Amino acid sequence: MGTFVCKWPSNNRNEMKIQSVKHLIGLLSIVVVLSSCLNSNSNMHKGAGGFDVSRLEELENIVPIAILGSGPAGLSAAVYGGRAGFDVLVFEGSLPGGLLTQTTMVENWPGNIEIMGPEVIKNLKAQATKWGAKFSLDLVEKVDFTQWPFKLETADGHQIYALSVILATGATPRYLGIPGEKEFWGKGVTTCAVCDAPFYKGEDVVVVGGGDSAAEEAMQLAPYAKNITVLVRGEKMRASAAMQQRLKEFAHIKVRYNVQIKEVLGDDVQVTGVTLLNNKDNTTEHMPISGVFLAIGHIPNTAFLKDAIKLDPSGHIHLPTRTQQTTVEGVFAAGDVADDRYRQAGVSAGHGISAALDATFFLNEIGFNEQHQSDIKRSHRLYVPEAESDYEIEEIASLAEFNQIIKTGKPAIVDFYAEWCPSCMQMLPAYAAVAQDLHESINFIKVDADAGQEIMKAYKVEKVPTLLTFKDGKLVEYLPKTLTKRELYALADTLK
Ligand code: NDP
């Protein structure tokens, strides 16, 4: 950290008084040292008032290390931050556990020959919890890095003062932006094979993309779909040689090159086909299929940071040095949100560890110590997130019983989920919290996709998670996606 290491070159200062040549050398070295100090600091944005820990006495809702994101980067940072003795709060984000929860077998997580993606996350979370990390499903929507402690504002309306921040918000799947894609989202168009593959038993589907994700999606579909065609827009796949070799082991997976989808077609229920453009000869063709699985890369989740911190032209967080330090001193970044090159779970974890060590060095250097931390705790000025709801939501499997509840006319929000669907399991805590709050005016019902197939068929639910809302005994909305706690509250408002 430049601010703490730049010192006046005292030896040269003495010699300057004696000889003019030495004077010149001394002057030059001062210029060099000063300019290197200025350069290293020019990227730093020191908060107004500096890092004066005595100011903490005036504040409430303090968090020594706030981590935004709970993928391998965020959770590894939490393990190290907690183990260093600091109170750590992890904001889990809108996809708790991150993208790794949407994969199946991982063969390149160091130390495990094979391990399921969700298992990696479960283990890391347990390890972070053991070291005292706390977790929150609330979303950080706004950050103010112009003041220190840094101010974080959440969707639930909390204002939190973080002494250091680790940004590990990951990335979101990219979309094609073609006609039909939005219209048939959740009705045949999806980005999550691990969530949706079981709904495509015996069907023909396409996977779009030529990277490792596309290869993995195709293999996740292999036990279910009849024919899987991977559509690659260029001459070759970008996926690793090992992944491409594995694809060849499946007779019903084919790869087609130089093709792009122009339009997704469907009827009033779901996707029925796509219009394909051949990039070589510009011809188009109709391809009848019932599922489009997108795997065309990701966009870093930095939209909420664009005025707060320097981003690279690609939208990733800019890291000016070889540490995890961002352009704001005391704010660090790790994982896919700051990595346009490696994008591997193992690398994210490593960078998460570095970020936590950087945060620890920073806290030590500004003089934040155990005494400060215990004072904050003792005077109840440490921010403690709400505990997870343990509200038991009614679960229905029979269509007759389901219809009877709907017929009462009381508004209802129904969550179709499956235990094998990671995003379903991630939404459940938020759904339970809202249900606990609003169950007197709204019926909250869970339907397990395996046990409640009768209900799924009757209401044409094609994927999980899907939320249906009912009012006065009638279906109002069909939402085939994951909602955040705030979005669930907004949905409940529509039923009032
Ligand atoms: P990549 O960026 O590696 O690949 C994206 C693919 O989508 C490319 O083939 C690209 O084509 C294609 N594409 C992009 N835009 C379009 C479009 N509009 N229409 C059609 N095709 C398009 O992303 P991935 O998500 O596959 O991988 C991200 C990272 O995660 C990589 O580092 C990868 O190695 C890693 N990963 C590793 C896994 C593992 O090891 N098991 C599993 C999954 C991911 P083009 O090549 O022409 O640009």
Side-chain angles (χ1 to χ4, degrees), residues 108 174 176 208-214 216 233-234 238 243 260 295-298 342-344:
N108 48 10
R174 194 178 271 141
L176 287 166
V208 188
D212 281 329
S213 300
E216 201 174 79
R233 67 177 172 181
R238 199 192 279 217
M243 289 293 245
Q260 243 175 302
I296 56 168
H298 297 88
Y342 304 106
R343 296 173 295 171
Q344 301 293 310

Side-chain angles (χ1 to χ4, degrees), residues 65-69 73-74 77-78 164-169 330-334 352 355-357 359:
I65 302 181
I67 299 174
L68 278 55
S164 65
V165 176
I166 296 174
L167 301 165
T169 46
V331 178
F332 308 90
L357 290 173

Side-chain angles (χ1 to χ4, degrees), residues 254-270:
K254 300 262 177 321
V255 182
R256 281 188 65 178
Y257 296 94
N258 300 305
V259 278
Q260 243 175 302
I261 300 183
K262 289 281 284 178
E263 186 175 2
V264 180
L265 309 161
D267 53 26
D268 56 344
V269 182
Q270 75 162 83

Side-chain angles (χ1 to χ4, degrees), residues 331-350:
V331 178
F332 308 90
D336 285 355
V337 75
D339 175 15
D340 191 24
R341 185 178 173 85
Y342 304 106
R343 296 173 295 171
Q344 301 293 310
V347 175
S348 293

Side-chain angles (χ1 to χ4, degrees), residues 18-289:
I18 306 166
Q19 287 177 17
S20 60
V21 178
K22 284 190 179 172
H23 187 147
L24 191 62
I25 294 167
L27 268 179
L28 278 174
S29 64
I30 290 163
V31 169
V32 169
V33 172
L34 273 179
S35 89
S36 85
C37 274
L38 284 174
N39 278 340
S40 63
N41 285 344
S42 63
N43 290 323
M44 304 294 181
H45 184 118
K46 196 159 183 169
F51 305 111
D52 179 3
V53 287
S54 67
R55 286 182 49 228
L56 297 180
E57 285 163 20
E58 303 156 17
L59 295 173
E60 294 194 334
N61 285 352
I62 298 171
V63 174
I65 302 181
I67 299 174
L68 278 55
S70 57
L75 294 176
S76 302
V79 171
Y80 270 68
R83 213 164 160 265
F86 291 110
D87 283 301
V88 172
L89 174 61
V90 182
F91 288 95
E92 295 189 71
S94 49
L95 182 64
L99 292 170
L100 209 54
T101 60
Q102 302 201 333
T103 63
T104 49
M105 195 59 82
V106 180
E107 294 171 333
N108 48 10
W109 177 253
N112 287 96
I113 292 168
E114 282 186 344
I115 185 166
M116 299 298 277
E119 190 76 8
V120 171
I121 293 300
K122 199 175 113 202
N123 293 346
L124 277 173
K125 189 168 177 183
Q127 198 177 8
T129 304
K130 184 204 154 190
W131 290 107
K134 299 280 181 289
F135 293 85
S136 171
L137 285 171
D138 198 1
L139 296 173
V140 174
E141 289 191 326
K142 222 168 144 194
V143 296
D144 183 353
F145 296 154
T146 63
Q147 57 172 286
W148 186 87
F150 307 115
K151 193 159 105 185
L152 311 178
E153 291 181 40
T154 75
D156 287 354
H158 298 290
Q159 284 197 351
I160 292 154
Y161 293 93
L163 309 192
S164 65
V165 176
I166 296 174
L167 301 165
T169 46
T172 298
R174 194 178 271 141
Y175 303 101
L176 287 166
I178 53 166
E181 183 184 37
K182 260 198 190 151
E183 194 184 339
F184 294 105
W185 183 255
K187 297 175 182 171
V189 182
T190 171
T191 54
C192 183
V194 74
C195 313
D196 299 336
F199 295 110
Y200 292 85
K201 238 177 212 157
E203 314 253 355
D204 290 351
V205 298
V206 291
V207 174
V208 188
D212 281 329
S213 300
E216 201 174 79
E217 298 259 306
M219 287 186 280
Q220 282 159 0
L221 282 156
Y224 306 98
K226 188 166 153 213
N227 290 299
I228 302 147
T229 310
V230 180
L231 304 174
V232 181
R233 67 177 172 181
E235 299 274 352
K236 54 180 187 200
M237 288 190 84
R238 199 192 279 217
S240 67
M243 289 293 245
Q244 292 193 47
Q245 188 53 41
R246 296 258 311 275
L247 281 185
K248 291 184 183 145
E249 291 163 19
F250 298 88
H252 61 316
I253 299 181
K254 300 262 177 321
V255 182
R256 281 188 65 178
Y257 296 94
N258 300 305
V259 278
Q260 243 175 302
I261 300 183
K262 289 281 284 178
E263 186 175 2
V264 180
L265 309 161
D267 53 26
D268 56 344
V269 182
Q270 75 162 83
V271 168
T272 55
V274 288
T275 306
L276 274 191
L277 170 72
N278 184 315
N279 290 330
K280 279 255 159 165
D281 57 18
N282 258 351
T283 55
T284 55
E285 69 180 273
H286 174 72
M287 185 176 189
I289 43 98

